[in-house]
């Protein structure tokens, strides 16, 4: 179909160019239909044929109806509003829509209540996902400046993004975000107040993964425990004044959606699975099998759209053509506001865009476990339904005004291109109803109730003093409490510690006490005495949170709480006893397996039996895996390194690699932590030179009490062992360090006299060059890398990767041209299991004509690297295949280093 957007272009340019200036009010009475080919509505309608080779007796295809049918017609927001079927007293009102935003997929609010919108503007713009990885995604920011409830003032905060994964407001005029196929989270800041990010800083690494755009990291979320969680990643990260640290977790099994309830329990929303995940216990304790956690009938949706237009095909179609099994969930929120009926507070909601519904989930707790059900299962309906096939709820959020906002992508296709390829069931249904035409739209709705007007109180947290922020910790709207806690921690203003301690002990609000308690934890001001008091409190909620927060103190070296945890295992409340078991497990208390077995033998509560038995199983499995996790050489280095660390290094760097607290109030560290440290996980030369020659003075502007003395008197194996260990424990993951490499650095720096300063050391270390838009990347051959991709060799620098179309032959090349000359010294890449190069060389040039070979190597499965010494700056580098091999050549996560 022919699509034009000429009418929209002036408004789009206005929104992008005017920045802080007010744009036109969103128009809710215009239909996207006016931008579609008018002939699409006229008969004869398309006759869609059954693809060749289809088994019409299979469950997917049997009974399919492809009768030529009138197309799905997009509606204006006001017309769509009439299609909603809501529970009594509720209403949905549009607050922002196309053309101001396009393809909205998530929203977040900053401390001044401004709404950031994640716009996936390349998502399925046609049935083949053409151009899906082009840099056209953006993050816009919107305000309601005239208090009429409509977000009319917008700015493009960040644009030219490759399918951005999330937006996290992170203080004044600052967000965190990440692009698809990347491994790095960046912090973006508007430094001059024009509304557009102009500063980009690396925030954290190691959060990326490969896969299509629906199967990558999303929804990085700061939660009550001051950690940040995301989908897909079996790790959590945390900002500290010393840097970002990481810890391993269970697999979240989430796809698009992370949220928390009033008590800090994190919920992950599965996508294709269609159900919430990991809502019984905090994911940091690992995964647990909970038989029956989805009550009978939970998976059945009650949809009013009857087009049978979903990938499971006829096997998951009710006789009326509607969906019979949740299959495409997206977006979630535990409602924590104060301007909807009280029975909604702390209830879980999520979108099922394939069924065109928003579901409310009821949680039933018994014997320490949670079991969930559709709150409207008995009535055979849903919290929100729509008869409009284009209603696509993909996110929702408790808003500063106390209501619930729902993000509606409003589009025809809601399935990634891997599932709409030629010959697929879904492709035939999309074409039958001409739904591939309906793109470039999007609405955000406010759910309100006739008895609860929205709040008009405007957040102004960025302008408030630290003491003023404290007042929001008792706000009835959880959004205010969360945001105030986050900003208090980012400010690190410890002058309010006494008032926080008073609030944590005596405030009349249970939720205010919880937030004050965790704010103390985030400021590094939580004391063992208060933790112990909470662990003995009459309120089981406080006992649970005392144990969870106490884990931080224990990890930093305070072992005095061990007896309190062991006592908690006998708590009469099964939820408290379960928490004590989980804490004992994660802290690896002495005799933990005996504690678990004793709990199995003495406490029949389902929660106790589930946790204790599965922890025992897991520990046995971990012992088996440990025997094969590393090669024999790596295992020997790791084990010896752990012994060295525990005996020598833990005193200053902390038993869990977090640093050892010191100072009058415990707010300082003797030495920096290792967990998640980019210095530790970065180029190994940094750590080797530090151990060989010592390090004194401030590190990145931060002074520490201790001094890193030289350890060069130890053997190369000793140094390689301890560095290999710290680079692969404490949530870290990096290459092992060989004794031979240590010997090489020792020889090269043998004439050095005295410790390094941090600045002098960093000046010597090879620095990773991160890809930029002005890098020119080319190759002699480039294959497509999946649906929505292009023949772009720059994919080599991310998780998607690059490969040749044909098998390796002599002379094949991969080339990079940098905008400025650099003293290049090393290249690293992952070649997978089989598609590594045979013999290959690295050549450099200053003009692209005269090339000098600087290194040669033989590829191998997995990680590859070549180092060389180059004294002259060059701006061009190429890898050259030197001999044929019966495999294509592939590389991903290419890293280039320069001195």
């Amino acid at each position: 179909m022919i699509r034009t957007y000429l009418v929209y272009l002036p408004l789009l340019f206005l929104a992008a160019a005017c920045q802080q200036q007010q744009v036109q009010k969103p128009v809710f009475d215009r239909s996207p239909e006016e931008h579609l080919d008018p002939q699409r509505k006229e008969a004869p309608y398309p006759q869609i044929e059954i693809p060749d080779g289809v088994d019409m007796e299979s469950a997917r295809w049997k009974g399919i109806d492809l009768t030529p049918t009138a197309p799905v017609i997009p509606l204006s927001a006001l017309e769509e509003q009439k299609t909603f079927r809501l529970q009594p007293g509720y209403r949905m009102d549009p607050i922002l829509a196309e053309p101001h935003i396009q393809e909205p997929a998530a929203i977040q609010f900053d401390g001044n209540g401004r709404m950031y919108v994640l716009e996936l503007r390349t998502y399925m713009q046609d049935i083949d996902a053409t151009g899906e990885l082009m840099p056209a995604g953006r993050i816009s920011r919107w305000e309601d400046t005239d208090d009429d409830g409509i977000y009319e003032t917008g700015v493009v905060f960040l644009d030219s993004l490759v399918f951005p994964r999330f937006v996290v407001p992170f203080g004044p005029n600052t967000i965190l975000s990440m692009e698809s196929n990347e491994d790095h989270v960046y912090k973006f800041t508007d430094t001059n107040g024009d509304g557009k990010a102009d500063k980009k800083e690396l925030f954290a690494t190691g959060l990326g993964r490969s896969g299509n755009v629906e199967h990558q990291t999303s929804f990085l979320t700061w939660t009550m425990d001051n950690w940040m969680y995301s989908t897909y990643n079996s790790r959590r990260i945390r900002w500290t004044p010393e840097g970002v640290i990481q810890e391993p977790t269970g697999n979240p099994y989430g796809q698009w959606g992370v949220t928390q309830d009033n008590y800090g329990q994190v919920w992950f929303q599965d996508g294709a699975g269609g159900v919430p995940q990991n809502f019984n216990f905090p994911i940091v304790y690992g995964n647990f099998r909970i038989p029956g956690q989805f009550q009978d009938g939970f998976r059945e949706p009650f949809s009013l759209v009857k087009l049978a237009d979903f990938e499971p095909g006829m096997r998951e179609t009710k006789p009326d053509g509607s969906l019979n099994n949740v299959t495409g969930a997206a977006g979630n929120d535990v409602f924590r506001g104060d301007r909807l009926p009280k029975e909604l507070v702390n209830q879980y909601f999520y979108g099922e865009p394939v069924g065109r519904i928003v579901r409310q989930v009821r949680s039933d707790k018994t014997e320490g476990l949670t079991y969930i059900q559709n709150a409207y299962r008995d009535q055979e309906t849903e919290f929100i339904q729509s008869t409009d096939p284009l209603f696509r709820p993909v996110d929702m959020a408790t808003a500063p005004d106390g209501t619930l906002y729902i993000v509606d992508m409003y589009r025809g296709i809601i399935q990634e291109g891997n599932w709409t390829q030629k010959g697929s069931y879904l492709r035939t249904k999309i074409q039958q109803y001409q739904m591939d035409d309906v793109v470039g739209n999007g609405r955000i709705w406010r759910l309100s109730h006739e008895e609860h007007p929205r709040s008009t109180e405007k957040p102004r947290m960025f302008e408030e003093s630290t003491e003023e922020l404290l007042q929001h910790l008792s706000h009835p709207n959880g959004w205010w409490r969360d945001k105030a806690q986050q900003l208090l921690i980012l400010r690190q203003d410890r002058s309010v510690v006494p008032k926080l301690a008073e609030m944590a002990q005596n405030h009349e609000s249970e939720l205010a006490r919880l937030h004050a308690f965790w704010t103390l934890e985030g400021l590094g001001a939580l004391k063992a005495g208060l933790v112990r008091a909470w662990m003995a409190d009459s309120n089981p909620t406080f006992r649970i949170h005392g144990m969870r927060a106490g884990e931080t103190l224990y990890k930093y070296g305070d072992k005095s709480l061990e007896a309190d945890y062991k006592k908690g295992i006998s708590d009469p409340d099964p939820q408290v006893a379960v928490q004590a078991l989980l804490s004992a497990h994660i802290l690896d208390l002495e005799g933990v397996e005996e504690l678990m077995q004793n709990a199995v033998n003495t406490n029949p509560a389902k929660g106790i039996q589930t946790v204790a038995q599965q922890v025992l199983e897991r520990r046995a499995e971990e012992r088996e895996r440990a025997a094969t996790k590393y090669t024999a050489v790596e295992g020997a280095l790791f084990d010896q390194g752990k012994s060295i660390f525990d005996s020598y290094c833990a005193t200053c760097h902390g038993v869990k690699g977090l640093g050892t607290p010191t100072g009058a109030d415990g707010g300082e560290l003797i030495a920096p932590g290792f967990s998640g440290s980019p210095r530790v996980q970065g180029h190994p030369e940094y750590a080797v030179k530090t151990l060989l020659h010592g390090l004194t003075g401030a590190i990145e502007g931060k002074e520490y009490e201790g001094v890193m003395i030289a350890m060069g008197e130890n053997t190369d194996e000793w140094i390689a062992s301890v560095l290999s260990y710290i680079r692969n424990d404490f949530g870290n993951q990096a290459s092992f360090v060989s004794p031979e490499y240590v010997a090489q650095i020792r020889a090269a720096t043998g004439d050095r006299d005295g410790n390094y300063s941090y600045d002098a050391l960093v000046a010597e270390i090879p620095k990773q060059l991160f890809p930029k838009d002005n890098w020119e990347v080319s190759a002699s051959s480039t294959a497509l890398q999946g649906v929505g991709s292009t023949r772009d060799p720059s994919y080599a620098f991310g998780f998607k990767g690059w490969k040749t179309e044909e098998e390796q032959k002599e002379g094949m090349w991969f080339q990079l041209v940098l905008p400025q000359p650099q003293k290049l010294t090393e290249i690293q890449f992952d070649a997978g299991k089989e598609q590594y190069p045979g013999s290959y060389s690295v050549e450099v040039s200053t003009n692209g004509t005269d090339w000098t070979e600087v290194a040669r190597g033989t590829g191998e499965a997995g990680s590859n690297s070549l180092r060389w010494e180059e004294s002259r700056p060059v701006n061009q580098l190429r890898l050259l295949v030197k001999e044929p091999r019966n495999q294509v050549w592939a590389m991903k996560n290419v890293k280039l280093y320069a001195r």
Side-chain angles (χ1 to χ4, degrees):
M1 291 293 174
I2 300 173
R3 295 189 297 263
T4 65
Y5 296 98
L6 295 179
V7 177
Y8 280 61
L9 286 175
L11 286 176
L12 294 174
F13 283 122
L14 182 62
C18 291
Q19 301 301 331
Q20 293 282 34
Q21 297 180 26
Q22 190 177 62
V23 299
Q24 287 181 298
K25 283 278 188 183
V27 178
F28 300 132
D29 61 356
R30 290 173 56 185
S31 168
E33 183 188 9
E34 62 188 75
H35 307 295
L36 300 179
D37 184 350
Q39 296 182 0
R40 73 191 295 272
K41 295 195 300 182
E42 299 177 5
Y45 304 121
Q47 175 66 61
I48 308 302
E49 302 295 335
I50 297 293
D52 294 339
V54 164
D55 179 5
M56 293 302 295
E57 293 301 311
S58 67
R60 182 184 300 273
W61 290 91
K62 188 174 183 179
I64 187 174
D65 181 2
L66 291 179
T67 302
T69 306
V72 169
I73 304 298
L75 306 176
S76 69
L78 294 182
E79 288 299 317
E80 184 192 6
Q81 185 180 35
K82 300 173 185 177
T83 72
F84 294 126
R85 302 295 182 264
L86 308 175
Q87 299 305 312
Y90 292 92
R91 63 175 289 131
M92 293 261 281
D93 292 292
I95 59 172
L96 188 61
E98 75 281 342
H100 291 60
I101 55 172
Q102 293 183 19
E103 312 292 8
I107 56 173
Q108 289 286 324
F109 302 90
D110 71 9
N112 279 2
R114 298 175 294 192
M115 181 170 65
Y116 287 85
V117 181
L118 187 78
E119 300 183 48
L120 303 182
R121 291 181 163 224
T122 60
Y123 177 67
M124 294 304 293
Q125 295 302 292
D126 62 25
I127 201 167
D128 296 310
T130 303
E132 194 163 61
L133 294 176
M134 296 298 289
R138 77 180 198 182
I139 295 170
S140 54
R141 190 180 71 196
W142 298 87
E143 297 179 74
D144 171 17
T145 58
D146 56 8
D147 295 331
D148 66 349
I150 306 299
Y151 286 71
E152 81 295 328
T153 302
V155 59
V156 181
F157 188 82
L158 188 62
D159 59 10
S160 302
L161 300 172
V162 177
F163 212 97
R165 308 309 308 176
F166 49 75
V167 54
V168 181
F170 202 73
N173 301 315
T174 301
I175 65 170
L176 308 177
S177 192
M178 177 181 182
E179 295 180 271
S180 290
N181 299 313
E182 292 295 333
D183 199 31
H184 313 296
V185 178
Y186 287 97
K187 183 171 72 170
F188 298 91
T189 305
D190 167 20
T191 63
N192 58 15
D194 68 353
K196 191 173 181 65
D198 50 59
K199 183 178 182 182
K200 179 180 179 181
E201 302 169 271
L202 182 65
F203 181 77
T205 62
L207 292 183
R209 58 168 277 158
S210 59
N212 68 67
V213 294
E214 290 186 3
H215 292 172
Q216 296 189 39
T217 301
S218 69
F219 277 79
L220 186 66
T221 303
W222 181 312
T223 59
M224 181 181 282
D225 63 5
N226 301 314
W227 288 86
M228 287 183 273
Y229 301 83
S230 60
T231 66
Y232 283 113
N233 273 307
S234 297
R235 65 179 65 192
R236 61 181 185 174
I237 68 171
R238 175 172 178 156
W239 177 88
T240 76
E242 285 75 36
V244 176
I245 62 176
Q246 302 186 12
E247 283 189 352
T249 69
N251 188 330
Y253 293 112
Q255 189 167 331
W256 194 258
V258 180
T259 188
Q260 67 171 342
D261 66 18
N262 272 338
Y263 300 95
Q265 175 59 49
V266 180
W267 294 62
F268 299 88
Q269 185 55 52
D270 198 356
V275 295
Q277 295 285 2
N278 291 297
F279 50 83
N280 259 283
F281 310 116
I283 192 63
V284 69
Y285 303 118
N287 300 108
F288 292 89
R289 305 179 303 276
I290 314 295
Q293 66 177 347
F294 305 112
Q295 297 181 44
D296 290 346
F298 181 84
R299 296 192 62 89
E300 181 184 7
F302 297 98
S303 174
L304 302 180
V305 176
K306 304 171 182 179
L307 304 183
D309 62 328
F310 26 81
E311 172 47 33
M314 299 304 297
R315 65 182 176 186
E316 294 191 0
T317 303
K318 293 181 180 179
D320 66 359
S322 64
L323 186 66
N324 73 8
N325 182 41
V326 287
T327 185
N332 59 351
D333 185 57
V334 175
F335 178 70
R336 302 168 60 214
D338 60 335
R339 295 306 174 103
L340 290 177
K342 288 184 177 179
E343 56 265 28
L344 265 62
V345 176
N346 221 37
Q347 293 279 291
Y348 183 80
F349 295 84
Y350 73 93
E352 217 294 6
V354 176
R356 289 80 166 183
I357 60 174
V358 173
R359 171 165 288 183
Q360 178 183 345
V361 174
R362 185 189 75 233
S363 297
D364 302 321
K365 297 181 181 295
T366 179
E367 297 186 42
L369 296 176
T370 300
Y371 303 87
I372 64 174
Q373 181 58 284
N374 172 10
Y376 294 93
R377 169 71 190 173
D378 292 343
Q379 297 95 318
E380 296 189 351
T381 188
E382 302 286 351
F383 181 65
I384 297 174
Q385 299 168 299
S386 176
T387 58
D388 188 344
L390 303 175
F391 174 54
R392 304 295 196 175
V394 295
D395 190 27
M396 51 208 66
T398 300
D401 66 12
T403 67
L404 182 69
Y405 288 8
I406 297 172
V407 179
D408 173 11
M409 233 174 176
Y410 203 73
R411 63 185 350 270
I413 303 175
I414 199 68
Q415 183 72 67
E416 209 271 337
N418 283 283
W419 290 270
T420 64
Q421 297 183 52
K422 293 179 180 179
S424 67
Y425 172 95
L426 184 54
R427 189 182 186 96
T428 65
K429 300 301 290 187
I430 291 170
Q431 292 174 328
Q432 180 185 18
Y433 295 104
Q434 301 182 54
M435 288 194 291
D436 51 324
D437 284 6
V438 187
V439 298
N441 307 301
R443 290 94 191 257
I444 299 175
W445 301 89
R446 174 187 291 112
L447 178 75
S448 58
H449 192 274
E450 60 188 13
E451 297 179 359
H452 304 271
R454 68 181 177 88
S455 170
T456 56
E457 180 184 11
K458 286 281 190 181
R460 287 293 180 263
M461 296 190 194
F462 295 151
E463 287 75 49
E464 291 179 325
S465 68
T466 304
E467 287 204 13
E468 288 172 323
L469 287 180
L470 287 183
Q471 309 308 311
H472 302 317
L473 297 180
S474 60
H475 199 285
N477 182 347
W479 177 86
W480 288 74
R481 299 193 301 272
D482 290 351
K483 188 58 63 175
Q485 176 182 326
Q486 181 197 57
L487 294 177
L488 284 165
I489 291 168
L490 288 175
R491 287 187 186 184
Q492 288 290 301
D493 181 355
R494 297 168 65 89
S495 67
V496 295
V497 165
K499 291 186 177 180
L500 282 168
E502 170 66 21
M503 180 181 287
Q505 294 175 80
N506 300 314
H507 200 281
E508 61 184 10
S509 166
E510 177 185 71
L511 297 176
R513 291 183 66 183
L514 285 173
H515 282 279
F517 186 71
W518 281 106
T519 303
L520 286 169
E521 191 270 355
L523 290 173
L526 187 61
K527 301 299 184 182
L530 180 57
V531 168
R532 189 170 285 110
W534 272 48
M535 291 171 74
D537 197 276
S538 60
N539 185 331
T541 296
F542 294 152
R543 299 203 295 277
I544 289 170
H545 282 265
M547 292 180 187
R548 290 181 184 171
E551 293 169 9
T552 302
L553 275 63
Y554 192 95
K555 291 173 183 176
Y556 276 104
D558 187 346
K559 301 298 181 66
S560 67
L561 296 170
E562 182 166 345
D564 300 275
Y565 283 112
K566 291 181 176 179
K567 180 180 178 181
I569 295 174
S570 301
D571 196 284
D573 187 303
Q575 292 190 76
V576 178
V578 164
Q579 179 59 53
L581 288 172
L582 293 169
S583 294
H585 164 55
I586 199 72
L587 297 175
D588 197 23
L589 299 185
E590 184 178 355
V592 63
E593 294 191 22
E594 183 179 343
L595 294 171
M596 296 288 168
Q597 190 60 58
N598 183 62
V600 170
N601 297 337
T602 60
N603 194 329
K606 290 182 179 179
I608 298 293
Q609 293 293 312
T610 296
V611 168
Q613 290 182 18
Q614 292 186 33
V615 164
L616 288 171
E617 293 172 8
R618 187 184 307 162
R619 284 176 162 260
E621 293 169 356
E622 287 173 352
R623 282 193 290 271
E624 293 182 11
R625 282 199 301 271
T628 58
K629 182 177 181 180
Y630 301 121
T631 67
V633 172
E634 291 172 341
L637 288 170
F638 186 92
D639 292 342
Q640 182 182 352
K642 184 180 189 312
S643 177
I644 295 169
F645 179 87
D646 291 343
S647 300
Y648 297 97
C649 314
T651 302
C652 296
H653 293 284
V655 293
K656 296 292 184 180
L658 297 172
T660 300
T662 188
D665 58 4
E668 303 295 326
L669 297 176
I670 295 177
F674 294 146
S675 173
S677 169
R679 298 185 299 272
V680 170
Q681 296 180 91
H683 200 283
E685 188 175 315
Y686 174 92
V688 172
K689 286 184 172 179
T690 298
L691 259 68
L692 285 173
H693 301 290
L695 185 65
T696 59
I699 299 176
E700 295 180 349
K702 176 73 175 179
E703 294 282 355
Y704 295 91
E705 181 181 288
V707 174
M708 181 65 216
I709 63 173
M711 299 274 183
E713 73 276 6
N714 293 290
T715 67
D716 296 336
E717 183 179 3
W718 191 97
I719 291 174
S721 296
V722 71
L723 292 182
S724 293
Y725 171 69
I726 67 173
R727 283 165 62 85
N728 288 281
D729 201 1
F730 316 123
N732 295 337
Q733 186 174 358
S735 61
F736 277 68
V737 176
S738 70
E740 293 77 14
Y741 180 68
V742 176
Q744 177 185 339
I745 301 299
R746 188 191 294 270
T749 59
D751 57 353
R752 180 172 185 83
D753 183 19
N755 301 142
Y756 278 104
S757 69
Y758 176 73
D759 289 342
L761 176 57
V762 168
E764 290 186 8
I765 303 303
K767 298 172 184 63
Q768 184 179 350
L769 304 179
F770 292 98
K772 298 184 181 298
D773 293 340
N774 57 0
W775 285 19
E776 298 177 20
V777 187
S778 58
S780 56
S781 172
T782 300
L784 290 173
Q785 288 286 69
V787 174
S789 68
T790 58
R791 298 182 190 278
D792 185 353
S794 68
Y795 289 159
F797 293 94
F799 276 99
K800 179 168 281 292
W802 160 87
K803 66 180 179 182
T804 59
E805 279 196 303
E806 62 271 0
E807 293 181 350
Q808 296 173 43
K809 56 187 177 183
E810 185 178 355
M812 273 186 169
W813 50 268
F814 177 92
Q815 184 170 327
L816 170 65
V817 180
L818 300 172
Q820 298 294 331
Q822 301 276 355
K823 290 185 177 180
L824 303 179
T825 187
E826 184 174 346
I827 189 167
Q828 301 174 0
F829 60 89
D830 184 349
K833 293 183 179 180
E834 298 179 341
Q835 297 171 346
Y836 50 87
S839 175
Y840 70 105
S841 65
V842 176
E843 298 182 348
V844 296
S845 175
T846 58
N847 56 21
T849 302
D850 302 311
W851 293 90
T852 302
E853 181 177 309
V854 292
R856 183 176 291 214
T858 301
E860 58 186 23
S863 298
N864 289 259
S865 66
L866 279 181
R867 300 186 181 100
W868 62 92
E869 291 299 327
E870 178 64 26
S871 58
R872 61 180 182 131
V874 296
N875 71 327
Q876 301 191 39
L877 173 145
R878 72 181 180 188
L879 276 66
L880 212 62
V881 170
K882 307 301 289 186
E883 61 184 28
R885 186 167 181 267
N886 295 329
Q887 283 284 351
V888 300
W889 176 18
M891 298 190 297
K892 66 179 181 179
N893 293 330
V894 173
K895 296 178 182 178
L896 188 63
Y897 291 87
R899 293 189 186 276

